[in-house]
Amino acid sequence: YVESPEPEALMKKAEEAGAKVVLPITTMTEPFELTWGQFADPDGLLVGVVKASDQEAPGVSAGDNPPVDWFEVLGSDARRTQSFYQEVFGWGLEEGEGDATYRFVEHEHDDEGRDLSIGGGLGAGEEKLWATVYARVPDVEASLQSAESLGGTREYGPLDTGQVTSGAFRDPAGNVFGVYRPK
């Protein structure tokens, strides 16, 4: 889900960029107020839009669980995927070395260099297409083995890019979920 103070306007922008509305912007009031909707991007990947809250973000969940602080969208065509999300959300992309099949989304930092938003990447996944999140874990291989022991299936990994080691699995329901460890 992407948070927006004006989810209706964001959904309209997504439609104009080629998305199909899956769930129109809806407001529910019980058990709490929530305004949200979903669209399918040009590759059919499901993305949610939620109205930004007036309250301060709750922060990290209680406990010692790994934080989810990375997202990734892999479409069938890197440039189309990158252009779509840049147009809809106004995201800037960091310039990288080599080809443009994968680019990091620029994100904000405070005066001390702490992240104010989660990081992300947009690119092409060849035959593997997904919009997913990644949790930062101490051991990628151990996390992938744990997922497999609980009925998940490994999609890839561990893969060492020099900057991070990453992997992904499908849970028993078929959802893709990633894990990574920065260098």
Side-chain angles (χ1 to χ4, degrees):
Y1 282 83
V2 176
E3 203 176 45
S4 171
E6 298 179 15
E8 296 87 357
L10 190 57
M11 186 69 81
K12 182 175 173 61
K13 196 172 189 180
E15 278 186 282
E16 290 169 355
K20 289 185 174 61
V21 174
V22 174
L23 175 68
I25 298 297
T26 305
T27 299
M28 62 180 222
T29 56
E30 294 294 328
F32 53 87
E33 188 169 322
L34 178 68
T35 300
W36 63 293
Q38 296 176 327
F39 65 81
D41 77 2
D43 280 308
L45 299 172
L46 192 60
V47 177
V49 176
V50 64
K51 184 170 184 175
S53 171
D54 295 335
Q55 300 175 358
E56 187 174 325
V60 179
S61 300
D64 61 355
N65 299 310
V68 171
D69 59 4
W70 186 262
F71 73 91
E72 181 173 68
V73 180
L74 298 180
S76 60
D77 178 279
R79 291 191 196 286
R80 182 180 73 177
T81 298
Q82 292 160 0
S83 293
F84 176 82
Y85 287 96
Q86 283 182 293
E87 183 175 335
V88 172
F89 300 125
W91 291 338
L93 298 180
E94 295 178 1
E95 291 301 316
E97 297 177 16
D99 64 29
T101 59
Y102 194 91
R103 291 283 190 248
F104 298 114
V105 175
E106 294 173 347
H107 58 286
E108 296 179 53
H109 300 88
D110 66 13
D111 293 338
E112 281 108 41
R114 292 179 297 222
D115 288 332
L116 295 174
S117 60
I118 70 170
L122 302 172
E126 298 169 15
E127 72 277 352
K128 296 186 185 283
L129 309 179
W130 59 59
T132 194
V133 294
Y134 283 70
R136 184 172 8 111
V137 298
D139 186 328
V140 171
E141 177 61 29
S143 296
L144 293 171
Q145 286 180 12
S146 178
E148 289 175 315
S149 75
L150 296 168
T153 56
R154 189 181 303 226
E155 279 292 313
Y156 81 91
L159 173 67
D160 185 346
T161 67
Q163 295 178 351
V164 300
T165 300
S166 65
F169 59 88
R170 287 194 184 270
D171 68 17
N175 302 301
V176 175
F177 195 90
V179 291
Y180 83 103
R181 181 167 196 258
K183 293 289 181 191

